[in-house]
Amino acid sequence: MKIIFFSAKPYDKEFFNRFNQTYDFEIEYHETHLGPHIVNIVQDAEAICVFVNDKLTEKVIQVLADKGVKVIALRCAGFNNVDLEAAKRFGITVCRVPAYSPEAVAEHALAMLQTINRKTHKAYNRVREQNFALNGLLGFNLHGKTVGIIGTGKIGKAFAQIMLGFGCKVLAYDLYPDDKLKEKGITYVSLEELLETSDIVSLHCPLTKENHYFINKETLALTKRGIVIINTSRGGLINTNDIIQALTSQQVGALCIDVYEQEEKLFFRDLSTNIIDDDNIHRLMSYPNVLITAHQAFFTEEALSEIAQVTLHSIDQILKGNKPEDKTTLLT
Ligand code: NAD
């Protein structure tokens, strides 16, 4: 049984080779993204394994089906990059890793928030240059602040728990509120109320057709002046042009993003000697109150181990004609 990997990095190889010892699949790794330009290299494989920026359009899926691929395994949770309808039509099973250490992402959201707030990234550099002055490093206490969480699934819940620990008031908005979270002291409110009353807003919902660009000129106008926005979910949730305007007008006080709408052209690569043809990322990188990380929120030992184990187990089960025990891994 052969699995072909796309967007494979050295750490993917390390973790998948380690856990493949149990299964002994033949694995072919490709560093390139999957798309129409490369799909023809797929030969004699029962499964392909892809990541967040591989594009599985109808055209790509059709070629995969013609080549006999039975499983598309996403080694991530989000699946906005796959045409699930097309996969269903061509009889390909799509699986994902629904929960690989939600704490990894929630803890990264906190790390970003506290970095931009307490300016530890600047302090680190200053102290190394024997500059022990505090001017420009002023932050604020998280204790007592109102944090709005949009999407209270696995990651949103973990982030809510962390924020409660800091003594924050936690508001939430979700299409399906969770009663257990209410018992813990989290208050569900409308999206408008959350935006109007929060000091910090963190996005933890998936990107769907309905919520594309839902942080835009209109919704930003509802927020408190100086709001801090954190996005570790998907870049398309934020209209980048609108948030740049809101940063310039200081309606937004700080922005922490681990995801970016045009990230597939940038993230997971060393472009330090390239000229980047993307004015928005240059603009964002130039603000002192914007912190960008390159989709690394998931990147912990625990999460990579879980991703490799769950992905290989699901592929093994599906190819044996079984359904994986956790039904939420299956998307078609
Ligand atoms: P989840 O499925 O457990 O939870 C998502 C929650 O969002 C659900 O409660 C759902 O009801 C809610 N939701 C859906 N649409 C909504 C909307 N329009 N408005 C408000 N709430 C809505 O997912 P999760 O495991 O918590 O992951 C959340 C997202 O985080 C993923 O979809 C993915 O895009 C992103 N993610 C990012 C990284 C990273 O490394 N940066 C890693 C993993 C996941």
Side-chain angles (χ1 to χ4, degrees), residues 51-52 76-80 96-102 105 108 150-157 173-177 191 203-208 210-211 214 231-234 237 258-259 295-299:
F51 196 50
V52 292
C76 55
F79 49 88
N80 52 293
R96 63 170 179 152
V97 188
Y100 48 89
S101 185
V105 182
H108 188 75
I150 299 179
T152 51
K154 292 171 284 296
I155 297 170
K157 274 191 193 89
Y173 168 75
D174 195 299
L175 304 176
Y176 305 98
L191 183 58
L203 309 181
H204 296 291
C205 57
L207 174 64
T208 61
E210 292 71 38
N211 66 18
F214 90 108
N231 186 9
T232 55
S233 271
R234 284 293 178 267
L237 292 170
D258 185 53
V259 286
H295 212 132
Q296 74 172 83
F298 73 100
F299 202 54

Coordinates of all heavy atoms in Angstrom, one line a residue, residues 51-52 76-80 96-102 105 108 150-157 173-177 191 203-208 210-211 214 231-234 237 258-259 295-299, ligand 1:
F51 N -1.8 18.7 3.3 CA -1.8 19.7 4.4 C -2.7 20.9 4.1 O -3.3 20.9 3.0 CB -0.4 20.0 4.8 CG -0.2 20.7 6.2 CD1 -0.8 20.1 7.3 CD2 0.5 21.8 6.3 CE1 -0.7 20.7 8.5 CE2 0.6 22.4 7.6 CZ 0.0 21.9 8.7
V52 N -2.6 21.9 4.9 CA -3.6 23.0 4.8 C -3.6 23.8 3.5 O -4.6 24.4 3.1 CB -3.4 24.1 6.0 CG1 -3.8 23.5 7.3 CG2 -2.0 24.6 6.0
C76 N -4.4 17.6 9.1 CA -4.8 18.8 9.7 C -6.3 18.7 10.1 O -7.0 17.7 9.7 CB -4.6 20.0 8.9 SG -5.3 19.9 7.2
A77 N -6.9 19.7 10.8 CA -8.3 19.7 11.2 C -9.2 20.4 10.1 O -10.2 19.8 9.7 CB -8.5 20.4 12.5
G78 N -8.7 21.6 9.7 CA -9.5 22.4 8.7 C -9.6 21.7 7.4 O -8.6 21.0 7.0
F79 N -10.7 21.9 6.6 CA -10.8 21.2 5.3 C -11.4 22.1 4.2 O -12.0 21.7 3.3 CB -11.6 19.9 5.5 CG -12.9 20.1 6.2 CD1 -14.1 20.5 5.6 CD2 -13.0 19.9 7.6 CE1 -15.3 20.7 6.2 CE2 -14.2 20.1 8.3 CZ -15.3 20.5 7.6
N80 N -11.2 23.4 4.4 CA -11.8 24.4 3.5 C -11.1 24.3 2.1 O -11.5 24.9 1.1 CB -11.6 25.8 4.0 CG -10.2 26.1 4.5 OD1 -9.8 25.6 5.5 ND2 -9.6 27.0 3.8
R96 N -9.5 13.4 8.1 CA -8.7 14.5 8.7 C -8.3 14.1 10.1 O -8.7 13.0 10.6 CB -9.5 15.8 8.7 CG -10.7 15.6 9.6 CD -11.4 16.9 9.8 NE -12.6 16.7 10.6 CZ -13.1 17.7 11.4 NH1 -12.6 18.9 11.5 NH2 -14.2 17.4 12.2
V97 N -7.6 15.0 10.8 CA -7.3 14.8 12.2 C -8.1 15.8 13.0 O -7.7 17.0 13.0 CB -5.8 14.9 12.5 CG1 -5.5 14.5 13.9 CG2 -5.0 14.1 11.5
P98 N -9.3 15.5 13.5 CA -10.1 16.5 14.0 C -9.6 17.2 15.3 O -9.8 18.4 15.5 CB -11.4 15.8 14.4 CG -11.1 14.3 14.3 CD -9.8 14.1 13.6
A99 N -8.8 16.5 16.1 CA -8.3 17.1 17.3 C -6.9 16.6 17.6 O -6.8 15.5 18.1 CB -9.3 16.7 18.5
Y100 N -5.9 17.4 17.3 CA -4.6 17.0 17.6 C -4.1 18.0 18.6 O -3.6 19.1 18.2 CB -3.7 16.9 16.4 CG -3.7 18.0 15.5 CD1 -2.9 19.1 15.6 CD2 -4.6 18.0 14.4 CE1 -3.0 20.2 14.8 CE2 -4.7 19.1 13.6 CZ -3.9 20.2 13.8 OH -3.9 21.3 12.9
S101 N -4.3 17.8 19.8 CA -3.8 18.8 20.8 C -4.4 20.2 20.6 O -3.6 21.1 20.1 CB -2.3 18.8 20.8 OG -1.9 19.6 21.9
P102 N -5.7 20.4 20.8 CA -6.2 21.7 20.7 C -5.5 22.7 21.6 O -5.4 23.9 21.3 CB -7.7 21.6 21.2 CG -7.8 20.2 21.7 CD -6.7 19.4 21.2
V105 N -2.7 24.9 19.9 CA -3.2 26.1 19.2 C -3.6 27.1 20.2 O -3.2 28.3 20.1 CB -4.3 25.7 18.2 CG1 -4.7 27.0 17.5 CG2 -3.9 24.7 17.2
H108 N -0.7 28.7 21.8 CA 0.0 29.6 20.9 C -0.7 31.0 20.8 O -0.1 32.0 20.7 CB 0.2 29.0 19.5 CG 1.0 29.8 18.6 ND1 2.4 29.8 18.7 CD2 0.7 30.6 17.5 CE1 2.9 30.6 17.8 NE2 1.9 31.1 17.0
I150 N -14.7 33.5 19.4 CA -15.7 33.2 18.3 C -15.4 31.8 17.9 O -14.3 31.5 17.3 CB -15.5 34.2 17.2 CG1 -15.9 35.6 17.7 CG2 -16.4 33.8 16.0 CD1 -15.8 36.7 16.7
G151 N -16.3 30.9 18.2 CA -16.1 29.4 17.9 C -15.6 28.8 19.2 O -14.4 29.0 19.6
T152 N -16.5 28.0 19.8 CA -16.1 27.4 21.1 C -16.1 25.8 20.9 O -16.7 25.1 21.7 CB -17.0 27.7 22.2 OG1 -18.4 27.5 21.8 CG2 -16.8 29.2 22.6
G153 N -15.4 25.4 19.8 CA -15.1 24.0 19.7 C -13.9 23.6 20.5 O -13.7 24.2 21.6
K154 N -13.1 22.7 20.1 CA -12.1 22.1 20.9 C -11.0 23.2 21.3 O -10.6 23.3 22.4 CB -11.4 20.9 20.2 CG -12.3 19.7 20.1 CD -11.8 18.7 19.2 CE -11.9 18.9 17.7 NZ -13.2 19.0 17.1
I155 N -10.6 24.0 20.2 CA -9.6 25.0 20.5 C -10.1 26.2 21.3 O -9.5 26.6 22.2 CB -8.9 25.4 19.2 CG1 -8.2 24.3 18.5 CG2 -7.9 26.6 19.4 CD1 -7.7 24.5 17.1
G156 N -11.3 26.6 20.9 CA -12.0 27.7 21.6 C -12.2 27.4 23.0 O -11.9 28.3 23.9
K157 N -12.6 26.2 23.3 CA -12.8 25.8 24.7 C -11.4 25.8 25.5 O -11.4 26.3 26.6 CB -13.2 24.3 24.8 CG -14.7 24.2 24.7 CD -15.1 22.7 25.0 CE -16.5 22.5 24.6 NZ -16.7 22.0 23.2
Y173 N -19.2 33.4 21.2 CA -20.2 33.3 20.2 C -20.0 32.0 19.4 O -18.8 31.8 19.0 CB -20.2 34.5 19.3 CG -21.0 34.4 18.0 CD1 -22.4 34.4 18.1 CD2 -20.4 34.0 16.8 CE1 -23.2 34.2 17.0 CE2 -21.2 33.8 15.7 CZ -22.6 33.9 15.8 OH -23.4 33.7 14.7
D174 N -21.0 31.3 19.2 CA -20.9 30.0 18.4 C -22.3 29.7 17.9 O -23.3 30.1 18.5 CB -20.4 28.9 19.3 CG -19.9 27.7 18.5 OD1 -20.8 27.1 17.7 OD2 -18.8 27.3 18.6
L175 N -22.3 29.1 16.7 CA -23.6 28.7 16.2 C -24.3 27.7 17.1 O -25.5 27.6 17.1 CB -23.5 28.1 14.8 CG -22.7 29.0 13.8 CD1 -22.5 28.2 12.4 CD2 -23.5 30.3 13.5
Y176 N -23.5 26.9 17.8 CA -24.0 25.9 18.7 C -23.4 26.1 20.1 O -22.4 25.4 20.4 CB -23.7 24.5 18.2 CG -24.2 24.3 16.7 CD1 -23.3 24.4 15.7 CD2 -25.6 24.0 16.5 CE1 -23.8 24.3 14.4 CE2 -26.0 23.9 15.2 CZ -25.1 24.0 14.1 OH -25.6 23.9 12.8
P177 N -24.0 26.9 20.9 CA -23.4 27.1 22.3 C -23.3 25.8 23.1 O -24.1 24.9 22.9 CB -24.4 28.1 22.9 CG -25.1 28.8 21.8 CD -25.2 27.8 20.7
L191 N -23.0 37.9 18.2 CA -21.7 38.4 17.6 C -21.5 39.9 17.8 O -20.4 40.3 18.2 CB -21.7 38.0 16.1 CG -20.4 38.3 15.4 CD1 -19.2 37.6 16.0 CD2 -20.6 37.9 13.9
L203 N -10.3 34.3 17.3 CA -11.1 33.5 16.3 C -10.8 32.1 16.4 O -9.6 31.7 16.1 CB -10.9 34.1 14.9 CG -11.0 35.6 14.7 CD1 -10.7 35.9 13.2 CD2 -12.4 36.1 15.1
H204 N -11.8 31.2 16.6 CA -11.5 29.8 16.7 C -12.6 29.0 16.0 O -12.9 27.9 16.3 CB -11.4 29.4 18.2 CG -10.3 30.0 18.9 ND1 -9.0 29.6 18.6 CD2 -10.2 30.9 19.8 CE1 -8.2 30.4 19.3 NE2 -8.9 31.2 20.0
C205 N -13.2 29.6 14.9 CA -14.2 28.9 14.1 C -13.6 28.5 12.8 O -12.6 29.1 12.4 CB -15.4 29.8 13.9 SG -15.1 31.3 13.1
P206 N -14.1 27.5 12.1 CA -13.5 27.1 10.8 C -13.9 28.2 9.8 O -14.8 29.0 10.0 CB -14.2 25.8 10.5 CG -15.4 25.8 11.3 CD -15.2 26.6 12.5
L207 N -13.2 28.2 8.7 CA -13.6 29.1 7.5 C -14.6 28.4 6.7 O -14.4 27.2 6.3 CB -12.3 29.4 6.7 CG -12.5 30.2 5.4 CD1 -13.1 31.6 5.7 CD2 -11.3 30.2 4.6
T208 N -15.7 29.0 6.5 CA -16.8 28.4 5.6 C -17.2 29.5 4.6 O -16.8 30.7 4.7 CB -18.0 28.1 6.5 OG1 -18.6 29.3 7.1 CG2 -17.7 27.1 7.6
E210 N -20.0 30.9 4.5 CA -20.8 31.9 5.2 C -20.0 32.9 6.0 O -20.4 34.0 6.1 CB -21.8 31.2 6.1 CG -22.9 30.3 5.5 CD -22.3 29.0 4.9 OE1 -21.4 28.4 5.4 OE2 -22.8 28.7 3.7
N211 N -18.9 32.5 6.5 CA -18.1 33.4 7.4 C -16.9 34.0 6.7 O -16.1 34.6 7.4 CB -17.9 32.8 8.8 CG -16.9 31.6 8.7 OD1 -16.2 31.5 7.7 ND2 -16.9 30.8 9.8
F214 N -15.6 37.6 7.6 CA -16.5 38.2 8.6 C -15.9 39.2 9.5 O -16.6 40.0 10.1 CB -17.3 37.1 9.3 CG -16.8 36.6 10.6 CD1 -17.4 37.0 11.8 CD2 -15.6 35.8 10.6 CE1 -16.8 36.5 13.0 CE2 -15.1 35.4 11.7 CZ -15.7 35.7 12.9
N231 N -5.9 35.8 15.4 CA -6.5 34.8 14.4 C -5.5 33.6 14.3 O -4.5 33.8 13.7 CB -6.8 35.4 13.1 CG -7.5 34.4 12.1 OD1 -7.9 33.4 12.6 ND2 -7.7 34.8 10.9
T232 N -5.9 32.5 14.9 CA -5.1 31.2 14.6 C -5.9 30.3 13.8 O -5.6 29.1 13.7 CB -4.7 30.6 16.0 OG1 -6.0 30.3 16.7 CG2 -3.8 31.4 16.8
S233 N -7.1 30.7 13.2 CA -8.0 29.8 12.5 C -7.7 29.7 11.0 O -7.0 28.7 10.6 CB -9.4 30.1 12.8 OG -9.8 29.5 14.0
R234 N -8.2 30.6 10.3 CA -7.9 30.6 8.8 C -7.8 32.1 8.4 O -8.7 32.9 8.8 CB -9.0 29.9 8.0 CG -8.9 28.3 8.1 CD -7.6 27.8 7.4 NE -7.5 26.3 7.6 CZ -6.9 25.7 8.5 NH1 -6.2 26.3 9.5 NH2 -6.8 24.3 8.5
L237 N -10.9 34.4 7.2 CA -11.9 35.0 8.1 C -11.8 36.5 8.2 O -12.7 37.2 8.6 CB -11.7 34.4 9.5 CG -12.0 32.9 9.7 CD1 -11.6 32.4 11.0 CD2 -13.5 32.6 9.5
D258 N -1.6 34.0 13.0 CA -0.8 32.8 12.7 C -1.2 32.2 11.3 O -0.7 31.3 10.8 CB -1.1 31.7 13.8 CG -0.2 30.5 13.6 OD1 1.0 30.6 13.5 OD2 -0.8 29.3 13.5
V259 N -2.2 32.9 10.7 CA -2.8 32.5 9.4 C -3.0 33.8 8.6 O -3.2 34.8 9.2 CB -4.1 31.7 9.6 CG1 -3.9 30.3 10.1 CG2 -5.1 32.5 10.5
H295 N 1.8 30.0 10.6 CA 1.0 28.8 10.8 C 1.7 27.8 11.6 O 1.8 26.6 11.2 CB 0.6 28.2 9.4 CG -0.8 27.5 9.5 ND1 -1.8 27.7 8.6 CD2 -1.3 26.6 10.4 CE1 -2.8 27.0 8.9 NE2 -2.6 26.3 10.0
Q296 N 2.2 28.2 12.8 CA 2.9 27.3 13.7 C 2.2 27.0 14.9 O 2.7 26.3 15.8 CB 4.3 27.9 14.0 CG 4.2 29.1 15.0 CD 5.6 29.5 15.5 OE1 6.3 30.3 14.8 NE2 6.1 29.1 16.6
A297 N 0.9 27.4 15.0 CA 0.2 27.2 16.3 C 0.1 25.7 16.7 O 0.1 25.3 17.8 CB -1.2 27.8 16.2
F298 N 0.0 24.8 15.7 CA -0.1 23.4 15.9 C 1.2 22.7 16.2 O 1.2 21.6 16.6 CB -0.7 22.7 14.6 CG 0.3 22.6 13.5 CD1 1.0 21.4 13.3 CD2 0.6 23.7 12.8 CE1 2.0 21.3 12.3 CE2 1.6 23.6 11.8 CZ 2.3 22.4 11.5
F299 N 2.3 23.5 16.1 CA 3.6 22.8 16.0 C 4.3 22.5 17.3 O 5.2 23.1 17.8 CB 4.5 23.8 15.2 CG 5.7 23.2 14.5 CD1 5.5 22.1 13.7 CD2 7.0 23.7 14.7 CE1 6.6 21.5 13.0 CE2 8.1 23.1 14.1 CZ 7.9 22.0 13.3
Ligands
NAD1 P1 -14.0 22.5 16.1 O1 -14.8 21.9 15.0 O2 -13.8 21.7 17.3 O3 -14.8 23.9 16.6 C1 -15.2 24.8 15.7 C2 -16.4 25.6 16.4 O4 -16.7 26.7 15.5 C3 -17.6 24.7 16.5 O5 -18.1 24.8 17.9 C4 -18.6 25.4 15.5 O6 -20.0 25.3 15.9 C5 -18.1 26.8 15.5 N1 -18.5 27.5 14.3 C6 -18.6 27.1 13.0 N2 -18.9 28.1 12.2 C7 -19.1 29.2 13.0 C8 -19.4 30.6 12.7 N3 -19.7 31.0 11.5 N4 -19.5 31.4 13.8 C9 -19.2 31.0 15.1 N5 -18.8 29.7 15.3 C10 -18.8 28.8 14.3 O7 -12.7 23.0 15.5 P2 -11.3 23.3 16.3 O8 -10.5 22.0 16.4 O9 -11.6 24.1 17.6 O10 -10.5 24.2 15.3 C11 -11.0 25.5 14.9 C12 -10.2 25.9 13.7 O11 -8.8 26.2 14.0 C13 -10.1 24.9 12.6 O12 -11.2 25.0 11.7 C14 -8.9 25.4 11.8 O13 -9.2 26.3 10.8 C15 -8.1 26.1 12.9 N6 -6.8 25.4 13.2 C16 -5.6 26.1 13.1 C17 -4.4 25.5 13.5 C18 -3.1 26.3 13.4 O14 -2.1 25.7 13.4 N7 -3.1 27.6 13.2 C19 -4.4 24.2 13.9 C20 -5.6 23.5 14.0 C21 -6.8 24.1 13.7

